[in-house]
Amino acid sequence: MTSTTLKRGMGLTGVIALGLGTAVGVSIFSVIAPATAVAGPAMLAAVAIAAVPMFILALTYAFMGSAVPTAGASYEWVRRFVSPDLAFFTAWLRIASSTGAMLILALVLTRYLSMVIPIQTKPTMLVLFILVFGVNMIGVKAAAQVQTVLMGLLLVIFAVFAIWGAPAAAPEAFLPFMPSGWAGVLAATPLLIGLFFGIETATEVGEEVKDSRRAIPTGIAVSILAAVALYLAVAATALGVLGPERLAASETPLLDAAAVFMGQDTARLVIVLAAVVAIGKSLNGLCLIFSRYLYAMGRAQALPMALGRVNSRFGTPHVALGTAFACCLFGLLLPMNLTSLFLAVNIPSLIQYGATCLAAIRVVRHRPDLYEGAAFKLGRRTTAAVAWLGVVAAAVVVLMGLTTDRAPYVALAAWGAVGVLYYIVGGR
């Protein structure tokens, strides 16, 4: 049976766990290695720089989430306030982005599991997808509860890693700090900005959040501040323990670093547990995002209307969840190059962030009723200025990615062309 109403089952704690949980652990288990290869110890500076545009964007998301809470918000906001055409194009690119993100998480998790048990990569990734989509099919309340428990456990594990490893860090590992100069820092930033993707996740399930106008901005603020502090602590510990050369060459940087001060056996157990927890909850959060904007596109009839159906028993968009699952299965056929995958994930996300900022500008200028009703808002001019900074920041980081690897841009352009053709023929 189907209905059209999503169930409200997430409170403030779930909002924080969803945003922080989706971001923390999404990339930290692997991205610091390629970033160090590009920037050396200045990878730490790149982490801080990557947080700046996300902080700007977080302000805009907090405003929009408190003004217009809705399902599939990043699509709906752009569709309602900017352009249905732009909304479709950004969401279409995000189908590739979300598929790539799910693949990254499942691949990295599988690599860590293989450290303790012999497993095959692709079959294990398939099992992970089945488990995650199965949990999400039950309901948003169950997904939020799982997210909260896993996030608490992960924070404890990362705190132990940073505190235990600090005495083993060598000061000389941080020198020279910028061997490749600012060029290296800027080249690493597009990779590291993905560390913060997902901070705004709760906005995508706005219709399913209790007291969403207040819970969403509060949850976003707590999530981004906690993420910055945690990333810098973990990355600095790994860099200090391994040194830039070993860190850059490592496929499992946190495991290799922990082995130095914990011992191989203990490190394997601790970091594998951390990876399972971190990536499991991130897969859970990304599954929510993926399915909700597909649901919103179906409800708006930009994609087949069946995607807008809701299961009457669980209150979940079951057709959208099934479609997202199918995309992940198709993604298992793709090559597994992490650097290219990270960029393929980041580019559409940045375009979506920029489009959302444009929507915020339109709300400030043309919808005073929505602006005044927002639980979180700066002054009109300040809100618009921050949103314009978000547009610029997103565009700059997208262009910076060209210095790292152009292959994902070509692939995304081809996928975008398919989307344009579909939209012209039927979706529009």
Side-chain angles (χ1 to χ4, degrees), residues 133-183:
F133 281 94
V135 169
N136 273 267
M137 193 67 75
I138 295 174
V140 71
K141 183 176 181 179
Q145 291 173 339
V146 170
Q147 196 82 351
T148 301
V149 172
L150 294 180
M151 189 66 246
L153 179 57
L154 183 66
L155 289 175
V156 171
I157 295 173
F158 275 160
V160 170
F161 173 85
I163 294 171
W164 194 346
E172 58 270 19
F174 300 88
L175 300 173
F177 187 68
M178 297 176 64
S180 301
W182 282 105

Side-chain angles (χ1 to χ4, degrees), residues 2-162:
T2 61
S3 70
T4 58
T5 305
L6 296 168
K7 292 184 179 179
R8 291 185 181 271
M10 185 181 298
L12 176 59
T13 302
V15 169
I16 296 172
L18 185 58
L20 185 59
T22 303
V24 175
V26 171
S27 303
I28 192 62
F29 285 90
S30 54
V31 74
I32 60 173
T36 302
V38 173
M43 170 268 298
L44 296 175
V47 170
I49 292 173
V52 173
M54 289 308 301
F55 178 76
I56 294 171
L57 293 165
L59 291 174
T60 298
Y61 270 87
F63 162 65
M64 290 295 289
S66 69
V68 192
T70 185
S74 59
Y75 169 77
E76 277 295 319
W77 292 336
V78 180
R79 184 185 71 84
R80 295 183 193 180
F81 306 119
V82 183
S83 163
D85 298 346
L86 179 61
F88 177 87
F89 184 71
T90 56
W92 179 268
L93 290 181
R94 287 185 70 202
I95 294 175
S97 171
S98 298
T99 301
M102 299 288 284
L103 289 170
I104 289 172
L105 293 172
L107 175 61
V108 175
L109 175 54
T110 299
R111 286 182 176 177
Y112 275 90
L113 282 176
S114 67
M115 297 291 178
V116 293
I117 54 175
I119 55 175
Q120 294 183 341
T121 300
K122 295 293 180 72
T124 302
M125 293 172 69
L126 173 60
V127 171
L128 291 173
F129 290 145
I130 292 173
L131 291 174
V132 169
F133 281 94
V135 169
N136 273 267
M137 193 67 75
I138 295 174
V140 71
K141 183 176 181 179
Q145 291 173 339
V146 170
Q147 196 82 351
T148 301
V149 172
L150 294 180
M151 189 66 246
L153 179 57
L154 183 66
L155 289 175
V156 171
I157 295 173
F158 275 160
V160 170
F161 173 85

Side-chain angles (χ1 to χ4, degrees), residues 113-397:
L113 282 176
S114 67
M115 297 291 178
V116 293
I117 54 175
I119 55 175
Q120 294 183 341
T121 300
K122 295 293 180 72
T124 302
M125 293 172 69
L126 173 60
V127 171
L128 291 173
F129 290 145
I130 292 173
L131 291 174
V132 169
F133 281 94
V135 169
N136 273 267
M137 193 67 75
I138 295 174
V140 71
K141 183 176 181 179
Q145 291 173 339
V146 170
Q147 196 82 351
T148 301
V149 172
L150 294 180
M151 189 66 246
L153 179 57
L154 183 66
L155 289 175
V156 171
I157 295 173
F158 275 160
V160 170
F161 173 85
I163 294 171
W164 194 346
E172 58 270 19
F174 300 88
L175 300 173
F177 187 68
M178 297 176 64
S180 301
W182 282 105
V185 175
L186 295 178
T189 299
L191 294 174
L192 292 167
I193 198 171
L195 289 169
F196 301 96
F197 287 172
I199 289 294
E200 79 295 340
T201 298
T203 61
E204 299 290 348
V205 293
E207 291 179 30
E208 299 163 87
V209 177
K210 302 173 184 177
D211 192 16
S212 55
R213 295 181 184 276
R214 297 187 181 277
I216 289 175
T218 301
I220 290 176
V222 173
S223 297
I224 194 166
L225 292 175
V228 171
L230 188 60
Y231 283 142
L232 288 176
V234 171
T237 300
L239 178 62
V241 171
L242 291 179
E245 292 185 1
R246 288 180 61 192
L247 180 58
S250 175
E251 289 190 353
T252 54
L254 298 191
L255 176 59
D256 292 343
V260 174
F261 55 88
M262 291 184 181
Q264 189 66 44
D265 292 338
T266 301
R268 183 180 293 110
L269 291 176
V270 171
I271 300 302
V272 168
L273 175 61
V276 170
V277 172
I279 299 173
K281 65 178 179 42
S282 295
L283 280 168
N284 181 50
L286 283 170
C287 182
L288 280 169
I289 296 174
F290 200 171
S291 59
R292 267 48 177 191
Y293 71 74
L294 288 177
Y295 162 78
M297 294 177 78
R299 187 168 61 177
Q301 301 182 35
L303 289 178
M305 292 177 60
L307 290 169
R309 295 176 182 170
V310 176
N311 183 277
S312 59
R313 178 181 178 184
F314 299 116
T316 54
H318 58 294
V319 178
L321 280 165
T323 302
F325 177 69
C327 289
C328 291
L329 296 185
F330 176 76
L332 290 174
L333 303 176
L334 301 176
M336 299 294 172
N337 179 281
L338 278 179
T339 299
S340 294
L341 277 174
F342 278 126
L343 285 174
V345 168
N346 294 354
I347 295 165
S349 298
L350 287 163
I351 293 173
Q352 166 237 308
Y353 289 146
T356 297
C357 289
L358 289 176
I361 294 167
R362 293 296 298 273
V363 168
V364 171
R365 290 181 176 177
H366 304 291
R367 293 299 303 271
D369 56 324
L370 296 178
Y371 173 81
E372 294 299 334
F376 171 85
K377 57 180 179 291
L378 306 173
R380 288 181 180 275
R381 292 183 179 180
T382 303
T383 301
V386 169
W388 276 118
L389 284 175
V391 174
V392 173
V396 168
V397 178

